[in-house]
Amino acid sequence: MEKTAVTRQNSDEIDRFLEGAASFADMMFGFLDGGDESQENLRDFDYENANYDEDPSQIDKNRVFWKAQEQLLQATLYRTTSLESRIRQATREALRELDLIGVQCACRRQVAGGCRKCLQREVSIRLQNVGFDCYICKSKWKNSPEIPAGEHTYLEVLDKSNPKKGEVRIVIELNFRGEFEMARANEDYSKLIARLPELFVGKTERLKALIKILCSAAKQCMKEKKMHLAPWRKHKYMQAKWLGTYQRTTPATLPVGFTDRPQKPKASMLTFDLLDNLPGLHYAAVAVVR
């Protein structure tokens, strides 16, 4: 399989996308880059010393915050391009097909029903078969004072059909909603996460905007609950999953005749009755040599 090291996405290009991605929510609340300064302060407000017990003004601010996040999330998700729509449709068809026929697990330790790695391989191959330049990507980052080390795998499609736009990178995350779910989330955060699709297909600019919205919401959620935000929930950690340095791999098809059915154990006639009478015995069968 071909592997290619890929550097971090150009942040200037992403920021230009955010600055130009105006919507009714952006104009009302000004939460995206270049927005109203007072609303920017609201988003980055330090709730560390805030009192949530009986402060009506704080309750109003929280209500405004969650309403703004909901508006921003909807506006960002609903903005889509024809390229994203075509890849999303092809990915859904691939997942439906795999749901019917099942996924062949080619891992050393096979998982019943297939595993995430093999599912990504099968989806990537099917997208390639319908004309998309699809790869499996693995990001990996080192430990730092702010976040722990980690790694993540996902899919991407590279589109070069428009010479003027150059190479366009589309990220495919098969479990997008699950990446942001929190066990101890409050009601507002849970409602926000429920709006996320399980399957995300979109440009890196759109993904960065969503990460910014969702990580801001996670931070606010923990502040309201007066709990510490886990380092793997922080904005920098979530960005590293899809927007950091990664390695690109071209998936290989399974060899002809491969089956995911477990092989039947072989035993000689000398050990047949012994194994039946002593199920706890796990000695290997002895072949009869004539």
Side-chain angles (χ1 to χ4, degrees), residues 184-231:
R184 298 184 179 182
N186 61 12
E187 183 178 358
D188 291 312
Y189 183 83
S190 297
K191 287 182 178 180
L192 194 70
I193 298 304
R195 294 183 176 273
L196 293 177
E198 183 177 359
L199 169 65
F200 172 81
V201 178
K203 295 181 179 180
T204 51
E205 297 91 346
R206 190 182 318 285
L207 179 57
K208 183 178 181 182
L210 288 173
I211 293 173
K212 191 174 185 180
I213 294 168
L214 296 168
C215 288
S216 178
K219 180 180 179 181
Q220 169 73 0
C221 172
M222 292 295 100
K223 292 295 183 181
E224 290 185 16
K225 293 177 69 68
K226 298 182 180 180
M227 296 175 62
H228 175 70
L229 181 66

Side-chain angles (χ1 to χ4, degrees), residues 134-162:
C134 187
Y135 301 91
I136 297 176
C137 298
K138 182 176 182 179
S139 59
K140 194 172 184 179
W141 55 96
K142 297 181 180 180
N143 187 49
S144 72
E146 298 179 358
I147 60 174
E151 60 182 44
H152 185 69
T153 57
Y154 57 95
L155 302 179
E156 76 166 4
V157 169
L158 295 181
D159 180 74
K160 303 176 184 178
S161 59
N162 192 332

Side-chain angles (χ1 to χ4, degrees), residues 6-263:
V6 184
T7 56
R8 185 181 304 275
Q9 180 74 14
N10 191 312
S11 60
D12 293 335
E13 296 178 1
I14 295 175
D15 290 336
R16 282 198 298 270
F17 173 87
L18 291 178
E19 291 173 1
S23 66
F24 70 96
D26 302 339
M27 292 183 287
M28 289 178 63
F29 300 99
F31 270 67
L32 289 179
D33 293 345
D36 181 72
E37 182 178 356
S38 62
Q39 295 299 329
E40 183 72 18
N41 291 337
L42 173 60
R43 184 182 60 184
D44 296 329
F45 180 77
D46 183 12
Y47 294 93
E48 197 69 49
N49 300 318
N51 182 7
Y52 296 97
D53 295 334
E54 299 291 340
D55 188 353
S57 63
Q58 188 61 57
I59 295 176
D60 291 338
K61 288 182 180 180
N62 294 343
R63 188 179 298 113
V64 170
F65 174 89
W66 290 110
K67 184 63 176 179
Q69 298 303 95
E70 181 182 345
Q71 298 277 6
L72 281 173
L73 184 66
Q74 288 182 335
T76 306
L77 286 174
Y78 292 154
R79 286 195 298 265
T80 187
T81 64
S82 59
L83 175 62
E84 290 171 317
S85 297
R86 286 190 288 112
I87 298 174
R88 187 179 301 112
Q89 181 62 28
T91 305
R92 286 173 177 168
E93 291 176 0
L95 290 172
R96 281 196 292 266
E97 179 185 351
L98 292 170
D99 186 54
L100 291 175
I101 67 175
V103 177
Q104 289 184 320
C105 185
C107 299
R108 181 173 299 178
R109 294 184 178 180
Q110 296 185 3
V111 179
C115 61
R116 174 184 172 88
K117 178 181 177 181
C118 294
L119 176 62
Q120 289 176 337
R121 183 198 68 241
E122 293 296 331
V123 171
S124 180
I125 291 174
R126 280 162 175 75
L127 290 178
Q128 289 180 5
N129 292 340
V130 294
F132 293 110
D133 195 8
C134 187
Y135 301 91
I136 297 176
C137 298
K138 182 176 182 179
S139 59
K140 194 172 184 179
W141 55 96
K142 297 181 180 180
N143 187 49
S144 72
E146 298 179 358
I147 60 174
E151 60 182 44
H152 185 69
T153 57
Y154 57 95
L155 302 179
E156 76 166 4
V157 169
L158 295 181
D159 180 74
K160 303 176 184 178
S161 59
N162 192 332
K164 294 182 179 179
K165 293 183 179 180
E167 186 177 84
V168 178
R169 182 179 179 230
I170 305 295
V171 174
I172 302 175
E173 176 56 62
L174 303 179
N175 186 34
F176 189 67
R177 188 190 305 125
E179 295 294 332
F180 293 92
E181 290 177 341
M182 294 194 302
R184 298 184 179 182
N186 61 12
E187 183 178 358
D188 291 312
Y189 183 83
S190 297
K191 287 182 178 180
L192 194 70
I193 298 304
R195 294 183 176 273
L196 293 177
E198 183 177 359
L199 169 65
F200 172 81
V201 178
K203 295 181 179 180
T204 51
E205 297 91 346
R206 190 182 318 285
L207 179 57
K208 183 178 181 182
L210 288 173
I211 293 173
K212 191 174 185 180
I213 294 168
L214 296 168
C215 288
S216 178
K219 180 180 179 181
Q220 169 73 0
C221 172
M222 292 295 100
K223 292 295 183 181
E224 290 185 16
K225 293 177 69 68
K226 298 182 180 180
M227 296 175 62
H228 175 70
L229 181 66
W232 55 88
R233 297 291 181 187
K234 291 184 177 180
H235 183 255
K236 188 174 181 179
Y237 188 94
M238 300 304 291
Q239 273 197 321
K241 287 186 175 183
W242 300 284
L243 303 175
T245 302
Y246 63 99
Q247 188 178 63
R248 183 185 294 152
T249 304
T250 302
T253 57
L254 294 177
V256 178
F258 177 86
T259 176
D260 58 349
R261 295 180 179 178
Q263 295 182 353

